[in-house]
Every structure is written in C-alpha cells, then in structure tokens.
Amino acid sequence: MRSGLHIYTHRHYPSRIRGGHTYVEVRAGDEPVRSRGNGFDFLLCLGDSFGRSETEGAFYGNEELKPLTEQFDELNEGGVIVYDSGQFDEADIARTELAERAEENDWHVYPVDLRSIAREHGRAIMRNTAGVGVTAALIGQDLSGFEELLKESMSGEMMEANLNVLQDAYERAQEFDMSHDITLPEGSHEEQHAMLTGSDGIAYGALDSGCRFISGYPMTPWTDVFSIMSQKLPKYGGISEQVEDEIAAATLALGASHAGVKAMSGSAGGGFALMSEALGLAEMTETPIVYIEAMRAGPSTGMPTKTEQGDLEHVLYSSQGDSCRIVFAPANVREMYEQTRLAFELAYDYHLPALVVYDQKLEGELRSVPVSFFDREPDPDLGATLTEEELRDAAHDASGKFKRFQHYPDGEREGVNPRSIPGQKGGRFLATGNESSPTGHISEDTVNRKRQMERRMGKLESVSAELDEREASNQATYGDDDAAYGILTWGSTQDTAFEAVDTLDDAGHSVKAMGVSDLMPFPDREVTEFLESVSECLVVEMNASGQFRGLVQRELGQFGPKLSSLLKFNGEPYRSEEVVAVFEESIDGGQPDAQNVKYVPATGD
Amino acid sequence: MSAFSAIDDEEQEIDQNDFTPGIEPQATWCPGCGDFAVLKALKGAMPELGRTPDEVLLVTGIGCSGKLNSYFECYGYHSLHGRSLPVARAAKLANPGLEVIAAGGDGDGYGIGGNHFMHTARENHDMAYIVFNNEIFGLTKGQTSPTSPKGHKSKTQPHGSAKDPVRPLTLALSSGASYIARAAAVNPRQAKNILIEAIEHDGFAHVDFLTQCPTWNKDAKQYIPYTDIQDSDEYDFDTSDRREAADVMYEAETKIHEGEVLTGRFYQETGRPSYGQEKRAIGEAPDQPLAERYFDEDAEWERAVDDIAAHHT
Ligand SMILES: Cc1ncc(C[n+]2csc(CCOP(=O)(O)OP(=O)(O)O)c2C)c(N)n1
Ligand code: SF4
Ligand SMILES: [Mg+2]
C-alpha cells in the first residue's frame, strides 16, 4: 500500500489455539482490488504450523507439510515457491512430489534456509522476516517500505536484528539464478491510503456515530469489533463492558441507550441467539440500539473461524412477534463504515433496533481505502430525543406523566414519538416489554393494541421510504445496464461477483450484477427493476438453503422461474472463477458440474 | 448546566404520595400479598432520601413483583424475566447521577437471572436490588421457585421438590455484594429503614424481601414470628465481618425452613469503591456523566479519521 498499490487480504485459520495450517492471502494491484482473486502466483511457505507437535497419531495428518501441499491446487502456472529449507526435511519434500509438480506446472522453486539466516542475526523466529526479504528480492521490490514498517513496530535490539535479517535475506536472494517472470506492478496513489479490516470499518463507523458504549462477550468472528471498540472507547471518552453472557450484553446496551447514550452490542450467530429476547424488547420499548451479527459456519458451534452467510433468517426473524428492525449487510470496508453510521442514525431517529450483519470473510479482510473517504463529521445526534425545554411543551397525562407512546405522535417522522431520558425533569414514563398505553402503562385493550402495532410497524415503512429517497442507495450495481443476464448477491459476496462480471464481459457475455445490503426493509423497487431487466438471474450466496433467494421471492412474490442459485458452504469464500464457471455452464439451461459449490436451478423450469 | 435538572434538585418538596401514579394508584396484587409492603416501604423511603420521581430509574423483571413499576411513579423500565440487573447497571454507568433501583421476584433474580445477580454483585454496581422473595412463582400461578423449601409441592413438582433451596444471602455474599439485608413484609418500619440504607449505600446492596403470597404459597403466608437480628442478643455479631456475617446468614437460611424468620442487616462493607468509581479511576469511564455529553452543544467529538490516519497508513 505504501508503494502505491491497492491491497486485499484474506485470513485462513483453524479454530485451534496451537498449530494448524494458518495462512494469509495477499492480493495487490495497481487498480482497486475487490476480492481474493483466483489462485495465486507466489507462495512463501514458512512451514511452521505444527513444527513442535507430536506427529504420531496426529488427528489432523502431517501438518508440517500442509503449508506446502495444501496450496498446490491453488498455485497458478508459472508461479513461485519459496520454502524454508531449514525447516523441512528434504526427504519429506521429495514425498510431496514437489519437483514433479513444479515441472508439470512450470513452477519456480527456491529453497532458502531462512532459519539459518534468521539465527545468524537474531533468533529462528525471525524466519518470517527473512522470508519477506527473499520475496522482495524475487518480485523486484526494494526494502524501504518493509524497513519503515519494522521501525514503526519494533525498537532496540529486536528491530536491529530484524533489519539485518531482512537485508541479508534480500541480498542473498538477489544473487539467485532467477527463472520466473513475476514482478509487482507499479502503482501510485494520488492521496494517502489506509489499510483496514471490515471490523475496523464497523468500529470507526460506530465511533463516528457518537457511539460511546459497547457491551459484549467474546465470540469469533465478532470479537474483533468488540476488542477494537474496547481499546478505542476509553480514549474516546466512552465505556466498554465485557459481561457474563450475551443476554447481559444485549440488555446492558439497551440500558445505556435508554439512559441517553448511543450504544451497541453484538455477537456471532451463537451469541446472537441469546440476544433475541433483548432484540424484541428493543422493538417493543422502542429503545434505539445497534446490534452487530458476525456470521460463521453454523449450525451450533459449526466452524468458528470459517465463513458463511447462513444467519440471514436468524437476524431477520429471531425473537417472538412480528419483526420491526432494520438490517443491513454491507459488502466491504467502505460499506461497513457507512452502513454502520446509517444504522445508528436510523435506530436513533426511529427508535428501533438496527442490525449490521457481516461474516468471517469481512471480519479480517484488509483493504486499502483512501484516508479522505473517512474525512467526515461525526454524528453524535441522539435522534428523536427531547430536551427538558421541549419536554415542557410535550404531551403529558393529567397526572404529569409524559406520553412517550402516543398513538398519533406529532414528531417529525411518522409513528415516532420523540423520547425523554431518565433524569430529565417532567419526562418520566414507563417503558415495558408488555403492550402499553400512550404513557407506557400495561394495556391489553384491543383498540390500543391494534394502533400501537400499526404505529410501530409503520415506522419500518417510513424507514423504507426514507432509504428509497436517499440519493445514495445501499445496493451496489455493476456492469452494463442493458445486460441480458443478472447475478444477484448480498453482503460479502458482492465484490467477488462484480469481479466475475468483468471476466464474463471479457469472454463476451452480457451480464450485470447487484449486491443487496438492505435486507430489512427490503429494497423492493430496486431489486424488482433489476430482475425485470434480465432474462435469467443467478443468486449467489454462502449457505446451503438459499436463504437470500428465498427472501427475494418472499418479498417480491415473483421471479421464481428466473432465479437459479449458486451456493457455497464449505467454509471458504468464493473465488470469482467459481461464479464465472457456474454462470457459463448454467445459462440457457445447462447443469454445471460444480465441485466446491452447489447449483440449484430455477423453479418451474 | 446539567441536561438532567431533576437530578439532585434540592428545591423540590418531596411527599411520598408523589410516588403514587395517577394512572394506576391502586395495585392489583391479591389482598394480603406481601408485595404491598415493598411498595409502601419504597414510597416511604423516598422523601427521606430526598429523591424525586424524575431522578429515579426503577428497573424491574417480570412477575407479580415486576408490576411494582406500574404502581410506583418514576422513570420505569419493566424489562424481561430475569434481566432487570443488566439494564439497571448500564443505565447507572451511562448516568451515575440517576438513582437506579432494580427489583424482581425470587424466580426472576435467583433463577433465570441468577447469572446476572452473581456478576452484578461481584462488580459492585452502585444500586439497590430488591428481591421479592415469596418462595414461589406468583405470576405463573404457583410453581416451585429456587427458594421454595425442599419437599414443596406444586403442579410442576407433584411429589414435592427434590431440590435444596438457594441460600440467597450467602449467594450474595460469596458473589461480592457489599450490602446484604433481609426485610419482611410483616415488619414495615424495619423494611423502610433497610431500603433507605440500601439505596444510600455506595455499592451493590441486595435486599431479600420476604413477601408472602397467600394465593399460591399457603405454607409461608405470614413470615412470623420474626426476629430482628440487630435487636436480638442471640445474634450479636459484626456486620462488617465477612465470616461472622456468613455464619448468621447460614442460621437465617436454615431457620426460615424451621419456622423462624431472621431479618435485619447481615453484611455491610464500607469503603469499597463502587464499580463506576473503579472504572473512572482506571480511565475506562469518563469523569463527566456520559449521558450529559450528548446534550452539550460545545462537546468536542473525536474523529475516527484522525485515528485512521495515525494508525492505519
Ligand atoms: C423467558 C421467560 N420465561 C418464562 C416466563 C414466564 N414467567 C413470568 S413470571 C415467571 C415467574 C415469576 O416468579 P418470580 O420471579 O418469583 O416472581 P413473582 O411472580 O413470584 O413475584 C415466569 C416463569 C417469562 N415471562 N419469560
Ligand atoms: S399471586 Fe401471590 S405474589 Fe402474586 S399478587 Fe397474588 S399474592 Fe401476590
Ligand atoms: Mg416469586
């Protein structure tokens, strides 16, 4: 990024404390990078994943070789492999048939004793720095950027040793007889860029919304947002609470919001299950709140560190009674920042819970974004809230109780009664999870019940209208407006689908794509227009039952015969070539032969 | 100037009738229900505490007890079964000036909300927590509760409960509450004084309030005879001594099932900082009430972009 390139990364790691094959994919380009891409060109293999564990009887197989062997299928033709010959046994390497495969695929293999280089200047653990030095030399990148990074993150002897390792490794590699043809593209940024994960996007969006309270309980992949917020909030004058469980987490956030603070909580799917009662309480008491839901492969504990989009119905419908909430599914760092801000704005303007749902893929994927993108004013506005002065003129019951839940509020937004905050003079009222009268007292009167339900549910219609009127839609579209075919997707899969559109375009197909973020209220008009304009549409998502396709049909009540499904639920995000392949094989009635994915044809074909 | 002028408003005259809601002046509890005594003691405590309805946030759970909110005039939050404490403690953190009181039943606090009870006590949040202990599930019509005595028969335990009851005072003590008392509906004067102390206490004050349920719990419809442990020579102990307190709690929790009711202050720890004070001392909570900031037009709001430019480039 510092050398002017655009970056994208994706983390792979198993749900284990020690060992297991862990790796990061990094993709860099001179143009903005949108996805993990297809395969890779350069493999730096440190091979330490399970170096110190017993191999005999190991349940997970030979872990030591995994960093090498597990990547063979994804390494592109003409690719480069650098492995630490100080770490691997030559006999083991021979067993992987590396030489044969390299021959077959025109791979260029560079065994380098990274361990010895590291030891020479410092400790063996600095092998990774040596690996970076070798990589830099092989792709023609000078060291200045790496040196800068080391200097920023280390000091003293440790920094010196690492700098020496880097330099030495670089110099040695420059002497190699290089046979490969892979170099880093040249790039330049006109302005300063920042590298952020999706979790950062949510956290900064929340902070810029004036959120100063978070309560949570750790659960992957939500933990990142929770820990970023916990580290930032003291500096921002806020409060973070790690509490006994997600029931408490969700409920504390309501207490803080009720007392006049912009507040949030969240969890992964499992913890969110415990939060559903509080979610309903927020809907009923009209307490503004933002909840974050981070998806991982389910059901139950599932695969804690693997991605999936299987919680769509969970976030839309969990908790008893009719849902009255906003749900956004942003697709990338920028959208995460913006839609988190929007979630706060709408939650506090309309007094309902606003949810942001994302997944393990977005949680940790780093992307570069111009710093100027974030150069905006914070929005600490409490939304529909009265000051004491305004309260004096507000409607009160004869006994002096503030009418917090009037049937026909006279506020700015339909159905929304601006609220008072405890401690304000003349603002006392009762908030209850029971159905209630205008002063908040419990009421089971049928007329009151019907009106209060209509009023609360009506707020969602107002939100829908407001979103529709906004200039910037949360739905992203890509490709030629007049394209004959469509790809429809949601959340984190969006940018990969967009990349597939480019590939398909180049191959002469006429296709466009839409990534939906508004799950509730659903963008009926936009999606209808999109689907009407194409003859067939492939709905791409990461779950096994086609929840999003189901939502589209439920909300729009039509298009069944146009919609086929592409599903992936093996724990890994899509590669764009998977979308491309299924699209090409399936259009016009073909039945694709998909390996890692599942294709479901349109109904009624 | 505070945006919450009801807080610590010295000028207002306070009468306990200010706490009777015009909308529901009459509680709908059964005649003879112990819950009336809690309501009365709480109303009686308010003028002595100098608190007005607009500066009190009463958070209740669900049960007959949770209806307290309908009959007590103030800012009320009638939450979920077992969840009064999480709502209450966050509100207190958000605005420490509020007088936050939590209340609920024995099923609510010692059963479904037991985890929150333990942790709120441990954290020592500055609030009073009143548990209406009628040793029964009142609102759902008389099922066995966590404090029902062993052998107690109900529709859900037709052969009598096989479980030993929870020892609420001991539970509060070992969890970390810094004020622990037991009141009884049959002794209203003591009850009022205990509530005053509990509310004034700077930390988590747990009051186990024995409230007979004549409708569903015929076994324990009176809670007499009772003994005020502070007045009894038999129980001469130091309430600030954890071990001595634990012994007397053990007596009380055993004797209640033998027909003798011990009430009074069991444990009073002074000088321990409340959770809010601890958080502020280590720099994890602002010195000014967080809730005030949103009304302060001159407040400076930090900008994420500064952080991003400094840490992500
Ligand atoms: C999650 C949940 N489970 C069950 C109930 C039903 N319920 C309401 S009150 C109650 C028990 C009440 O007993 P207690 O807490 O002792 O209060 P009391 O009525 O005796 O004052 C139950 C089981 C509920 N409201 N919510
Ligand atoms: S059922 Fe019992 S606890 Fe409930 S109001 Fe009647 S007497 Fe009181
Ligand atoms: Mg009870």
Side-chain angles (χ1 to χ4, degrees), chain B residues 106 132 134 136 138:
Chain B
D106 47 318
F132 294 53
N134 53 11
I136 200 88

Side-chain angles (χ1 to χ4, degrees), chain A residues 277 320, chain B residues 29 33 35 61-67 80-83 104-112 131-147 211 213 216:
Chain A
E277 208 187 8
Q320 62 271 33
Chain B
W29 290 309
C33 174
D35 294 4
I62 303 295
C64 294
S65 43
K67 291 274 167 69
L80 293 163
H81 193 29
R83 314 299 169 212
D106 47 318
D108 194 272
Y110 306 145
I112 193 166
V131 181
F132 294 53
N133 183 3
N134 53 11
E135 302 178 83
I136 200 88
F137 281 9
L139 190 66
T140 45
K141 300 189 189 286
Q143 298 84 0
T144 306
S145 92
T147 47
T211 50
C213 169
W216 300 111

